[in-house]
Amino acid sequence: MRTVIGSLVIALGCLLAPLALLAGWAASEVADPAGYLRTMAPLAGHSVVRDAVTDHVADEVTLRLRGLGVPARAEVVRRTAETGTGDDFAAVWVEINRAAHHRFTTVPGGADDKGDRGDRGDRGDRGDKGGTGGTGGTDRAVRGGVEYDFTPMYELVKKRLQRAGVEAATRLPDTPPTARLIPASAAADAHLVCHGLASLRWGLAGASPLLIAAGVFLIRDRRVGLIGAGIGTAVGMLALAIALSALRNVYLPESMPRDGLRIGAVLTMFDTLTTSLRNGLRAIFGLGLSVAAATFLTGSGFSRPAPEAPGVPKPSASPASPGSSAAPAAASLAVLPHQPAAPAKDVADGR
């Protein structure tokens, strides 16, 4: 019975191990604004991300200029590229990510995909009409999910175009171009999961190793318990790695809107944001396999001696016992023919 209970406790501890790792990552890299910006800021120097942002803003500005009767594609691309490669882009990138993170941490739970589709339609109308659109900032937060708001870069491009002599840049609408990152329904779910895990960070971090240790202690053969704990922990990390791979290679390419950033830039941002998580699961995966392999190779040094079965008498060292030294003599006497006892002395004398 103790072995069964110990096995279940070990299994529960191994199940909580990937959740504990996720909780630590969510608390330090996602829920924390400083941690998120510290992770994402270096991407300002990544060519894939920088080119995707500048091209996206250039396309939006070109579309709006054409709506004003100004075909200035080459000029827009050149001026936007100057903004993207200049010293100002690092500060612009930080501001864009700070706004996106704020939107994620304050996303409401009642948004739906219908709102997403409506917001996409409003975005197109705003670009053509040159107005602010029918939704305000608060309503966009409800309906739009999590977006990259390119206001800082949009303003820089407008100023550069004005300096280059493109007078129509003064008539560009104030509504900034945006790029959808997470749909509203998925953002609400991700928000709840992320903050729920972050709030349980320390509890999960303590519960997982304690449960594994308690299960190993309960199991009668501790060597088997350690091997099972190591393999179970490695399997949990492997499952987490598979889930991350499916999220990156299947969900993200299919869920990104056509008018969003290039998928290569999105995947680069995802890889950067999950670097510490992937490094952690690799380390714990290797640790689990190492513990299992080392315990297997050390022999039965951790095994606890089995107790004696109740009701079974312990062999004694009596002369009649087969395990005693007198057993061979008793056995030899048992096979000798029966001889009558010698008559008493007084009977032999006729008395």
Side-chain angles (χ1 to χ4, degrees):
M1 187 65 180
R2 290 184 60 180
T3 299
V4 174
I5 296 175
S7 299
L8 293 177
V9 172
I10 290 176
L12 181 58
C14 294
L15 180 64
L16 293 181
L19 294 179
L21 182 62
L22 271 175
W25 169 78
S28 61
E29 299 284 343
V30 181
D32 180 36
Y36 175 80
L37 292 177
R38 184 170 55 250
T39 301
M40 300 298 289
L43 287 177
H46 200 292
S47 60
V48 174
V49 176
R50 186 178 61 247
D51 293 345
V53 172
T54 54
D55 288 348
H56 183 81
V57 175
D59 291 341
E60 289 282 349
V61 173
T62 301
L63 180 62
R64 298 179 186 192
L65 286 176
R66 286 177 179 174
L68 298 174
V70 181
R73 171 65 182 174
E75 184 70 16
V76 167
V77 172
R78 187 166 66 86
R79 296 298 176 183
T80 306
E82 290 178 1
T83 304
T85 57
D87 296 335
D88 295 331
F89 184 73
V92 166
W93 176 249
V94 170
E95 290 300 320
I96 291 172
N97 278 276
R98 180 179 286 112
H101 184 269
H102 177 72
R103 172 163 292 193
F104 173 73
T105 55
T106 57
V107 68
D112 54 20
D113 290 332
K114 183 178 179 181
D116 294 348
R117 293 190 294 270
D119 186 66
R120 274 197 291 268
D122 292 343
R123 277 185 55 197
D125 295 340
R126 290 196 302 267
D128 294 337
K129 294 179 181 180
T132 58
T135 59
T138 303
D139 191 44
R140 275 176 52 201
V142 173
R143 299 172 61 188
V146 178
E147 295 177 339
Y148 264 152
D149 186 338
F150 295 115
T151 298
M153 189 167 183
Y154 181 63
E155 294 298 327
L156 281 176
V157 173
K158 288 170 61 176
K159 292 179 181 179
R160 289 177 181 270
L161 289 174
Q162 293 173 19
R163 293 172 184 173
V166 182
E167 298 180 358
T170 59
R171 293 182 286 139
L172 285 171
D174 294 332
T175 305
T178 59
R180 181 69 49 82
L181 294 177
I182 307 176
S185 57
D189 295 338
H191 172 84
L192 292 176
V193 172
C194 175
H195 285 269
L197 286 174
S199 63
L200 298 174
R201 174 186 184 182
W202 299 113
L204 290 172
S208 177
L210 286 178
L211 286 173
I212 292 175
V216 172
F217 179 79
L218 285 174
I219 287 185
R220 196 168 303 281
D221 192 341
R222 293 177 182 173
R223 175 173 173 265
V224 174
L226 276 176
I227 294 175
I231 295 177
T233 302
V235 169
M237 295 300 116
L238 180 61
L240 178 58
I242 294 174
L244 285 176
S245 178
L247 177 61
R248 181 192 187 277
N249 299 315
V250 178
Y251 176 77
L252 286 179
E254 294 181 356
S255 64
M256 294 304 298
R258 295 179 180 178
D259 58 349
L261 290 178
R262 297 173 184 170
I263 188 60
V266 174
L267 295 181
T268 300
M269 290 187 286
F270 178 83
D271 292 340
T272 301
L273 186 60
T274 59
T275 296
S276 62
L277 177 61
R278 289 181 284 112
N279 290 339
L281 70 86
R282 290 190 189 106
I284 299 177
F285 176 82
L287 178 62
L289 290 185
S290 299
V291 169
T295 306
F296 177 77
L297 295 175
T298 55
S300 57
F302 293 97
S303 300
R304 188 185 307 171
E308 300 173 2
V312 178
K314 184 176 180 180
S316 60
S318 61
S321 174
S324 63
S325 59
S332 61
L333 289 176
V335 299
L336 292 177
H338 178 70
Q339 297 178 356
K345 184 176 181 181
D346 54 352
V347 175
D349 294 340
R351 291 196 293 251

